[in-house]
Amino acid sequence: MNEIMVWGFRWVPPFAQGLVRDLRVRWALEEAGCPYEVRLIDADDRKSTAYLLRQPFGMVPAFEADGRGLFESGAIVYFIATDSTVLMPIDPRERANVLTWMFAALNTVEPPIQNLLDMDLLHDGETWAKLRRPAVVDAVNLRLEALSAWLAGRDYLIHRFTAADILMTTAPRFIRHTDLVAEFPVLDAYVKRCEARPAFQKVLRNQMAEYTRNAPVAA
Ligand SMILES: N[C@@H](CCC(=O)N[C@@H](CS)C(=O)NCC(=O)O)C(=O)O
C-alpha cells in the first residue's frame, strides 16, 4: 500500500480526546509499519458532499489507500491487517479466529460500552439516563466479566497480539471515566499491556498533539 490517508477530527472536546476512532486505524498502520497522512476535518466538513462520499454517515474515520476509499474502523483495521503479519497470522484458521474476535469486539463488547459512554457523557443528569443507567452498567459488566474470564492465563485474545486486540482494547477506553474495567484486574492488565505498545503510545501522542494545536481560541 502506498499513499495512505486517514481522516480524523481537527479537534474534539476533552471528554472525547483519546477516544476518537481514527486512533484505531492509526494504531494499526503504525503496527504494520505503513506510512500515512492524516487529514483533519471540522464538524461542518462532515456533511459536505465530498466527505459523505468517503464516509456516508459523516463520521470519522475514513480511509484511502492508493486512491481507494474505505470507512468503518473495523473494516479499515481488517484491511490493513490482511497485509501485515504483525496484525494477522498467516494460518487461515488463526486468521478466522482473529476475525471472530474482531467481530466480538465490535458487535458484542463495544455496544453496551458505547451506551454507557453516551449516557454518562452526552446525557448526564437527564432523568431517563439516571433510571436506565444501572441496567446498562449490568450489561457492560456482563461483557467485561466474560472477556476477563477468557483472558485469564492469556496475554492477548489469541496466542499473540493481533488486529483484534486493537479493536478490543480501544472499546474499554470509552468508559475510562468509570472504574468498571479496573474491577477486573485481568482485563485491566490486558488493556494496559496493549496500550503500552510503542505504536499505540505514538499515535495517541500524535492525536492529542493535534487537538492541542487546533484547540479553539477562547473568545
Ligand atoms: N462504526 C463506526 C463508528 C464511527 C464513529 O462513531 N465515529 C465518531 C467518532 S469516534 C464520529 O464520527 N462521531 C460524530 C458523529 O456521530 O456525527 C466506526 O467504527 O468507524
Side-chain angles (χ1 to χ4, degrees), residues 42-80:
D42 293 315
D44 290 348
D45 301 328
R46 292 188 296 136
K47 300 295 172 198
S48 73
T49 308
Y51 191 70
L52 290 173
L53 284 173
R54 294 195 179 285
Q55 215 297 1
F57 303 99
M59 297 169 141
V60 303
F63 175 88
E64 188 179 302
D66 300 327
R68 300 177 67 177
L70 283 178
F71 62 96
E72 281 296 329
S73 59
I76 302 167
V77 169
Y78 177 70
F79 176 77
I80 296 162

mmCIF file of all heavy atoms in Angstrom, residues 42-80:
data_model
loop_
_atom_site.group_PDB
_atom_site.id
_atom_site.type_symbol
_atom_site.label_atom_id
_atom_site.label_comp_id
_atom_site.label_asym_id
_atom_site.label_seq_id
_atom_site.Cartn_x
_atom_site.Cartn_y
_atom_site.Cartn_z
ATOM 1 N N ASP A 42 -13.301 19.470 10.204
ATOM 2 C CA ASP A 42 -14.120 20.139 11.219
ATOM 3 C C ASP A 42 -15.530 19.550 11.167
ATOM 4 O O ASP A 42 -15.901 18.884 10.194
ATOM 5 C CB ASP A 42 -14.217 21.639 10.912
ATOM 6 C CG ASP A 42 -12.870 22.306 11.083
ATOM 7 O OD1 ASP A 42 -12.206 22.031 12.095
ATOM 8 O OD2 ASP A 42 -12.483 23.091 10.188
ATOM 9 N N ALA A 43 -16.318 19.888 12.193
ATOM 10 C CA ALA A 43 -17.695 19.392 12.263
ATOM 11 C C ALA A 43 -18.450 19.711 10.959
ATOM 12 O O ALA A 43 -19.179 18.864 10.433
ATOM 13 C CB ALA A 43 -18.396 19.996 13.461
ATOM 14 N N ASP A 44 -18.258 20.918 10.424
ATOM 15 C CA ASP A 44 -19.005 21.300 9.212
ATOM 16 C C ASP A 44 -18.612 20.464 7.994
ATOM 17 O O ASP A 44 -19.446 20.154 7.148
ATOM 18 C CB ASP A 44 -18.739 22.780 8.870
ATOM 19 C CG ASP A 44 -19.395 23.691 9.892
ATOM 20 O OD1 ASP A 44 -20.208 23.179 10.688
ATOM 21 O OD2 ASP A 44 -19.076 24.899 9.900
ATOM 22 N N ASP A 45 -17.337 20.089 7.921
ATOM 23 C CA ASP A 45 -16.857 19.313 6.760
ATOM 24 C C ASP A 45 -17.549 17.950 6.665
ATOM 25 O O ASP A 45 -17.640 17.360 5.598
ATOM 26 C CB ASP A 45 -15.346 19.043 6.866
ATOM 27 C CG ASP A 45 -14.543 20.329 6.948
ATOM 28 O OD1 ASP A 45 -14.982 21.316 6.347
ATOM 29 O OD2 ASP A 45 -13.497 20.323 7.630
ATOM 30 N N ARG A 46 -18.029 17.462 7.817
ATOM 31 C CA ARG A 46 -18.594 16.102 7.839
ATOM 32 C C ARG A 46 -19.788 15.957 6.912
ATOM 33 O O ARG A 46 -20.087 14.892 6.433
ATOM 34 C CB ARG A 46 -19.062 15.752 9.257
ATOM 35 C CG ARG A 46 -17.951 15.616 10.227
ATOM 36 C CD ARG A 46 -18.457 15.083 11.534
ATOM 37 N NE ARG A 46 -19.396 15.983 12.187
ATOM 38 C CZ ARG A 46 -20.535 15.605 12.759
ATOM 39 N NH1 ARG A 46 -20.891 14.341 12.733
ATOM 40 N NH2 ARG A 46 -21.299 16.471 13.351
ATOM 41 N N LYS A 47 -20.508 17.061 6.723
ATOM 42 C CA LYS A 47 -21.746 16.986 5.936
ATOM 43 C C LYS A 47 -21.535 17.420 4.490
ATOM 44 O O LYS A 47 -22.488 17.524 3.720
ATOM 45 C CB LYS A 47 -22.834 17.865 6.587
ATOM 46 C CG LYS A 47 -23.177 17.436 8.000
ATOM 47 C CD LYS A 47 -23.806 16.041 8.031
ATOM 48 C CE LYS A 47 -23.957 15.548 9.470
ATOM 49 N NZ LYS A 47 -24.152 14.112 9.566
ATOM 50 N N SER A 48 -20.295 17.681 4.130
ATOM 51 C CA SER A 48 -20.055 18.089 2.737
ATOM 52 C C SER A 48 -20.255 16.895 1.819
ATOM 53 O O SER A 48 -20.052 15.738 2.219
ATOM 54 C CB SER A 48 -18.630 18.637 2.588
ATOM 55 O OG SER A 48 -17.713 17.564 2.658
ATOM 56 N N THR A 49 -20.657 17.191 0.593
ATOM 57 C CA THR A 49 -20.888 16.119 -0.375
ATOM 58 C C THR A 49 -19.624 15.297 -0.556
ATOM 59 O O THR A 49 -19.664 14.061 -0.594
ATOM 60 C CB THR A 49 -21.307 16.741 -1.727
ATOM 61 O OG1 THR A 49 -22.381 17.634 -1.461
ATOM 62 C CG2 THR A 49 -21.752 15.689 -2.715
ATOM 63 N N ALA A 50 -18.497 15.987 -0.609
ATOM 64 C CA ALA A 50 -17.233 15.269 -0.837
ATOM 65 C C ALA A 50 -16.953 14.305 0.318
ATOM 66 O O ALA A 50 -16.563 13.153 0.094
ATOM 67 C CB ALA A 50 -16.102 16.271 -0.983
ATOM 68 N N TYR A 51 -17.182 14.766 1.558
ATOM 69 C CA TYR A 51 -16.867 13.874 2.682
ATOM 70 C C TYR A 51 -17.868 12.722 2.776
ATOM 71 O O TYR A 51 -17.492 11.590 3.092
ATOM 72 C CB TYR A 51 -16.789 14.638 4.013
ATOM 73 C CG TYR A 51 -16.206 13.737 5.089
ATOM 74 C CD1 TYR A 51 -14.853 13.377 5.050
ATOM 75 C CD2 TYR A 51 -17.003 13.166 6.065
ATOM 76 C CE1 TYR A 51 -14.320 12.492 5.973
ATOM 77 C CE2 TYR A 51 -16.473 12.280 7.008
ATOM 78 C CZ TYR A 51 -15.134 11.951 6.959
ATOM 79 O OH TYR A 51 -14.601 11.059 7.872
ATOM 80 N N LEU A 52 -19.138 13.002 2.460
ATOM 81 C CA LEU A 52 -20.138 11.936 2.549
ATOM 82 C C LEU A 52 -19.891 10.828 1.522
ATOM 83 O O LEU A 52 -20.342 9.703 1.701
ATOM 84 C CB LEU A 52 -21.555 12.510 2.405
ATOM 85 C CG LEU A 52 -22.006 13.361 3.604
ATOM 86 C CD1 LEU A 52 -23.344 14.032 3.319
ATOM 87 C CD2 LEU A 52 -22.101 12.516 4.886
ATOM 88 N N LEU A 53 -19.149 11.169 0.481
ATOM 89 C CA LEU A 53 -18.768 10.115 -0.468
ATOM 90 C C LEU A 53 -17.708 9.199 0.159
ATOM 91 O O LEU A 53 -17.593 8.026 -0.178
ATOM 92 C CB LEU A 53 -18.235 10.729 -1.765
ATOM 93 C CG LEU A 53 -19.302 11.294 -2.703
ATOM 94 C CD1 LEU A 53 -18.641 12.032 -3.861
ATOM 95 C CD2 LEU A 53 -20.208 10.185 -3.217
ATOM 96 N N ARG A 54 -16.931 9.765 1.064
ATOM 97 C CA ARG A 54 -15.915 8.943 1.752
ATOM 98 C C ARG A 54 -16.512 8.170 2.907
ATOM 99 O O ARG A 54 -16.128 7.042 3.192
ATOM 100 C CB ARG A 54 -14.827 9.836 2.381
ATOM 101 C CG ARG A 54 -14.015 10.569 1.420
ATOM 102 C CD ARG A 54 -12.761 11.132 2.051
ATOM 103 N NE ARG A 54 -12.027 11.813 1.023
ATOM 104 C CZ ARG A 54 -11.333 11.203 0.072
ATOM 105 N NH1 ARG A 54 -11.233 9.891 0.073
ATOM 106 N NH2 ARG A 54 -10.727 11.882 -0.861
ATOM 107 N N GLN A 55 -17.411 8.845 3.654
ATOM 108 C CA GLN A 55 -17.997 8.227 4.858
ATOM 109 C C GLN A 55 -19.469 8.626 4.841
ATOM 110 O O GLN A 55 -19.836 9.718 5.254
ATOM 111 C CB GLN A 55 -17.285 8.767 6.114
ATOM 112 C CG GLN A 55 -17.118 7.789 7.254
ATOM 113 C CD GLN A 55 -18.437 7.266 7.880
ATOM 114 O OE1 GLN A 55 -19.537 7.606 7.474
ATOM 115 N NE2 GLN A 55 -18.296 6.401 8.874
ATOM 116 N N PRO A 56 -20.334 7.747 4.369
ATOM 117 C CA PRO A 56 -21.734 8.118 4.128
ATOM 118 C C PRO A 56 -22.473 8.613 5.362
ATOM 119 O O PRO A 56 -23.520 9.246 5.241
ATOM 120 C CB PRO A 56 -22.359 6.812 3.623
ATOM 121 C CG PRO A 56 -21.215 6.012 3.093
ATOM 122 C CD PRO A 56 -20.024 6.383 3.925
ATOM 123 N N PHE A 57 -21.960 8.338 6.561
ATOM 124 C CA PHE A 57 -22.648 8.757 7.786
ATOM 125 C C PHE A 57 -22.034 10.024 8.379
ATOM 126 O O PHE A 57 -22.427 10.460 9.461
ATOM 127 C CB PHE A 57 -22.636 7.609 8.808
ATOM 128 C CG PHE A 57 -23.259 6.364 8.249
ATOM 129 C CD1 PHE A 57 -22.471 5.334 7.746
ATOM 130 C CD2 PHE A 57 -24.640 6.237 8.170
ATOM 131 C CE1 PHE A 57 -23.047 4.197 7.189
ATOM 132 C CE2 PHE A 57 -25.224 5.111 7.615
ATOM 133 C CZ PHE A 57 -24.423 4.092 7.119
ATOM 134 N N GLY A 58 -21.058 10.567 7.687
ATOM 135 C CA GLY A 58 -20.447 11.814 8.159
ATOM 136 C C GLY A 58 -19.620 11.634 9.411
ATOM 137 O O GLY A 58 -19.459 12.566 10.198
ATOM 138 N N MET A 59 -19.107 10.423 9.620
ATOM 139 C CA MET A 59 -18.309 10.163 10.823
ATOM 140 C C MET A 59 -16.841 9.980 10.453
ATOM 141 O O MET A 59 -16.498 9.850 9.284
ATOM 142 C CB MET A 59 -18.807 8.874 11.492
ATOM 143 C CG MET A 59 -20.237 8.958 11.977
ATOM 144 S SD MET A 59 -20.816 7.325 12.434
ATOM 145 C CE MET A 59 -21.751 7.720 13.879
ATOM 146 N N VAL A 60 -15.994 9.914 11.475
ATOM 147 C CA VAL A 60 -14.604 9.506 11.271
ATOM 148 C C VAL A 60 -14.438 8.152 11.965
ATOM 149 O O VAL A 60 -15.171 7.859 12.914
ATOM 150 C CB VAL A 60 -13.598 10.541 11.833
ATOM 151 C CG1 VAL A 60 -13.827 11.897 11.209
ATOM 152 C CG2 VAL A 60 -13.626 10.626 13.334
ATOM 153 N N PRO A 61 -13.513 7.333 11.507
ATOM 154 C CA PRO A 61 -12.531 7.599 10.468
ATOM 155 C C PRO A 61 -13.053 7.295 9.066
ATOM 156 O O PRO A 61 -13.996 6.550 8.876
ATOM 157 C CB PRO A 61 -11.412 6.602 10.811
ATOM 158 C CG PRO A 61 -12.148 5.416 11.377
ATOM 159 C CD PRO A 61 -13.301 6.009 12.139
ATOM 160 N N ALA A 62 -12.366 7.945 8.097
ATOM 161 C CA ALA A 62 -12.431 7.497 6.711
ATOM 162 C C ALA A 62 -10.991 7.184 6.325
ATOM 163 O O ALA A 62 -10.048 7.590 7.029
ATOM 164 C CB ALA A 62 -13.023 8.576 5.827
ATOM 165 N N PHE A 63 -10.843 6.494 5.220
ATOM 166 C CA PHE A 63 -9.515 5.956 4.878
ATOM 167 C C PHE A 63 -9.395 5.877 3.369
ATOM 168 O O PHE A 63 -10.383 5.633 2.672
ATOM 169 C CB PHE A 63 -9.424 4.556 5.498
ATOM 170 C CG PHE A 63 -8.192 3.761 5.177
ATOM 171 C CD1 PHE A 63 -7.047 3.883 5.955
ATOM 172 C CD2 PHE A 63 -8.184 2.857 4.115
ATOM 173 C CE1 PHE A 63 -5.916 3.129 5.691
ATOM 174 C CE2 PHE A 63 -7.050 2.097 3.841
ATOM 175 C CZ PHE A 63 -5.913 2.226 4.636
ATOM 176 N N GLU A 64 -8.190 6.086 2.894
ATOM 177 C CA GLU A 64 -7.944 5.867 1.466
ATOM 178 C C GLU A 64 -6.553 5.284 1.287
ATOM 179 O O GLU A 64 -5.601 5.717 1.951
ATOM 180 C CB GLU A 64 -8.051 7.207 0.719
ATOM 181 C CG GLU A 64 -8.003 7.048 -0.781
ATOM 182 C CD GLU A 64 -8.133 8.398 -1.494
ATOM 183 O OE1 GLU A 64 -9.138 9.114 -1.289
ATOM 184 O OE2 GLU A 64 -7.191 8.730 -2.238
ATOM 185 N N ALA A 65 -6.441 4.277 0.446
ATOM 186 C CA ALA A 65 -5.126 3.708 0.106
ATOM 187 C C ALA A 65 -5.075 3.535 -1.397
ATOM 188 O O ALA A 65 -5.965 2.900 -1.978
ATOM 189 C CB ALA A 65 -4.930 2.357 0.796
ATOM 190 N N ASP A 66 -4.064 4.119 -1.985
ATOM 191 C CA ASP A 66 -3.892 4.036 -3.437
ATOM 192 C C ASP A 66 -5.161 4.449 -4.186
ATOM 193 O O ASP A 66 -5.579 3.786 -5.146
ATOM 194 C CB ASP A 66 -3.480 2.607 -3.844
ATOM 195 C CG ASP A 66 -2.166 2.212 -3.195
ATOM 196 O OD1 ASP A 66 -1.321 3.105 -2.995
ATOM 197 O OD2 ASP A 66 -1.998 1.027 -2.864
ATOM 198 N N GLY A 67 -5.819 5.500 -3.699
ATOM 199 C CA GLY A 67 -6.989 6.038 -4.392
ATOM 200 C C GLY A 67 -8.291 5.311 -4.093
ATOM 201 O O GLY A 67 -9.345 5.719 -4.585
ATOM 202 N N ARG A 68 -8.251 4.257 -3.292
ATOM 203 C CA ARG A 68 -9.491 3.520 -2.998
ATOM 204 C C ARG A 68 -9.901 3.759 -1.558
ATOM 205 O O ARG A 68 -9.100 3.592 -0.633
ATOM 206 C CB ARG A 68 -9.299 2.027 -3.266
ATOM 207 C CG ARG A 68 -8.923 1.781 -4.725
ATOM 208 C CD ARG A 68 -8.664 0.347 -5.000
ATOM 209 N NE ARG A 68 -9.897 -0.434 -4.874
ATOM 210 C CZ ARG A 68 -9.949 -1.738 -5.132
ATOM 211 N NH1 ARG A 68 -8.872 -2.383 -5.488
ATOM 212 N NH2 ARG A 68 -11.084 -2.392 -5.009
ATOM 213 N N GLY A 69 -11.160 4.125 -1.378
ATOM 214 C CA GLY A 69 -11.627 4.527 -0.053
ATOM 215 C C GLY A 69 -12.280 3.395 0.716
ATOM 216 O O GLY A 69 -12.792 2.430 0.138
ATOM 217 N N LEU A 70 -12.253 3.535 2.032
ATOM 218 C CA LEU A 70 -12.944 2.619 2.939
ATOM 219 C C LEU A 70 -13.482 3.434 4.099
ATOM 220 O O LEU A 70 -12.928 4.487 4.431
ATOM 221 C CB LEU A 70 -11.974 1.583 3.524
ATOM 222 C CG LEU A 70 -11.509 0.397 2.683
ATOM 223 C CD1 LEU A 70 -10.524 -0.422 3.517
ATOM 224 C CD2 LEU A 70 -12.681 -0.466 2.260
ATOM 225 N N PHE A 71 -14.511 2.918 4.758
ATOM 226 C CA PHE A 71 -14.938 3.516 6.023
ATOM 227 C C PHE A 71 -15.297 2.381 6.980
ATOM 228 O O PHE A 71 -15.252 1.222 6.598
ATOM 229 C CB PHE A 71 -16.108 4.499 5.826
ATOM 230 C CG PHE A 71 -17.362 3.887 5.275
ATOM 231 C CD1 PHE A 71 -18.377 3.482 6.130
ATOM 232 C CD2 PHE A 71 -17.537 3.710 3.908
ATOM 233 C CE1 PHE A 71 -19.549 2.912 5.634
ATOM 234 C CE2 PHE A 71 -18.700 3.145 3.403
ATOM 235 C CZ PHE A 71 -19.707 2.751 4.263
ATOM 236 N N GLU A 72 -15.630 2.714 8.216
ATOM 237 C CA GLU A 72 -15.854 1.796 9.345
ATOM 238 C C GLU A 72 -14.489 1.339 9.890
ATOM 239 O O GLU A 72 -13.730 0.622 9.226
ATOM 240 C CB GLU A 72 -16.698 0.568 8.978
ATOM 241 C CG GLU A 72 -18.185 0.842 8.920
ATOM 242 C CD GLU A 72 -18.797 1.256 10.274
ATOM 243 O OE1 GLU A 72 -18.318 0.811 11.336
ATOM 244 O OE2 GLU A 72 -19.737 2.059 10.249
ATOM 245 N N SER A 73 -14.241 1.727 11.133
ATOM 246 C CA SER A 73 -12.918 1.455 11.709
ATOM 247 C C SER A 73 -12.574 -0.034 11.667
ATOM 248 O O SER A 73 -11.430 -0.409 11.398
ATOM 249 C CB SER A 73 -12.829 2.000 13.141
ATOM 250 O OG SER A 73 -13.800 1.417 13.977
ATOM 251 N N GLY A 74 -13.570 -0.907 11.927
ATOM 252 C CA GLY A 74 -13.284 -2.352 11.921
ATOM 253 C C GLY A 74 -12.860 -2.834 10.545
ATOM 254 O O GLY A 74 -11.903 -3.615 10.409
ATOM 255 N N ALA A 75 -13.572 -2.362 9.525
ATOM 256 C CA ALA A 75 -13.242 -2.785 8.158
ATOM 257 C C ALA A 75 -11.866 -2.264 7.758
ATOM 258 O O ALA A 75 -11.086 -2.967 7.095
ATOM 259 C CB ALA A 75 -14.307 -2.276 7.193
ATOM 260 N N ILE A 76 -11.565 -1.050 8.174
ATOM 261 C CA ILE A 76 -10.267 -0.460 7.806
ATOM 262 C C ILE A 76 -9.133 -1.220 8.509
ATOM 263 O O ILE A 76 -8.121 -1.581 7.886
ATOM 264 C CB ILE A 76 -10.220 1.044 8.165
ATOM 265 C CG1 ILE A 76 -11.340 1.803 7.467
ATOM 266 C CG2 ILE A 76 -8.868 1.630 7.794
ATOM 267 C CD1 ILE A 76 -11.571 3.227 7.989
ATOM 268 N N VAL A 77 -9.319 -1.473 9.806
ATOM 269 C CA VAL A 77 -8.272 -2.208 10.548
ATOM 270 C C VAL A 77 -8.099 -3.603 9.931
ATOM 271 O O VAL A 77 -6.977 -4.088 9.761
ATOM 272 C CB VAL A 77 -8.614 -2.280 12.062
ATOM 273 C CG1 VAL A 77 -7.697 -3.260 12.786
ATOM 274 C CG2 VAL A 77 -8.517 -0.894 12.696
ATOM 275 N N TYR A 78 -9.191 -4.218 9.548
ATOM 276 C CA TYR A 78 -9.100 -5.546 8.918
ATOM 277 C C TYR A 78 -8.317 -5.464 7.603
ATOM 278 O O TYR A 78 -7.435 -6.281 7.340
ATOM 279 C CB TYR A 78 -10.504 -6.111 8.665
ATOM 280 C CG TYR A 78 -10.476 -7.441 7.964
ATOM 281 C CD1 TYR A 78 -10.025 -8.588 8.625
ATOM 282 C CD2 TYR A 78 -10.865 -7.557 6.634
ATOM 283 C CE1 TYR A 78 -9.965 -9.815 7.967
ATOM 284 C CE2 TYR A 78 -10.814 -8.779 5.980
ATOM 285 C CZ TYR A 78 -10.364 -9.901 6.648
ATOM 286 O OH TYR A 78 -10.300 -11.108 6.009
ATOM 287 N N PHE A 79 -8.638 -4.439 6.805
ATOM 288 C CA PHE A 79 -7.957 -4.271 5.520
ATOM 289 C C PHE A 79 -6.442 -4.113 5.730
ATOM 290 O O PHE A 79 -5.636 -4.746 5.043
ATOM 291 C CB PHE A 79 -8.536 -3.043 4.808
ATOM 292 C CG PHE A 79 -7.844 -2.706 3.519
ATOM 293 C CD1 PHE A 79 -8.082 -3.436 2.367
ATOM 294 C CD2 PHE A 79 -6.939 -1.650 3.465
ATOM 295 C CE1 PHE A 79 -7.428 -3.125 1.179
ATOM 296 C CE2 PHE A 79 -6.282 -1.332 2.286
ATOM 297 C CZ PHE A 79 -6.527 -2.074 1.136
ATOM 298 N N ILE A 80 -6.079 -3.289 6.697
ATOM 299 C CA ILE A 80 -4.649 -3.078 6.971
ATOM 300 C C ILE A 80 -4.021 -4.400 7.437
ATOM 301 O O ILE A 80 -2.929 -4.780 7.028
ATOM 302 C CB ILE A 80 -4.463 -1.981 8.049
ATOM 303 C CG1 ILE A 80 -4.989 -0.639 7.538
ATOM 304 C CG2 ILE A 80 -3.001 -1.858 8.477
ATOM 305 C CD1 ILE A 80 -5.242 0.389 8.636
#
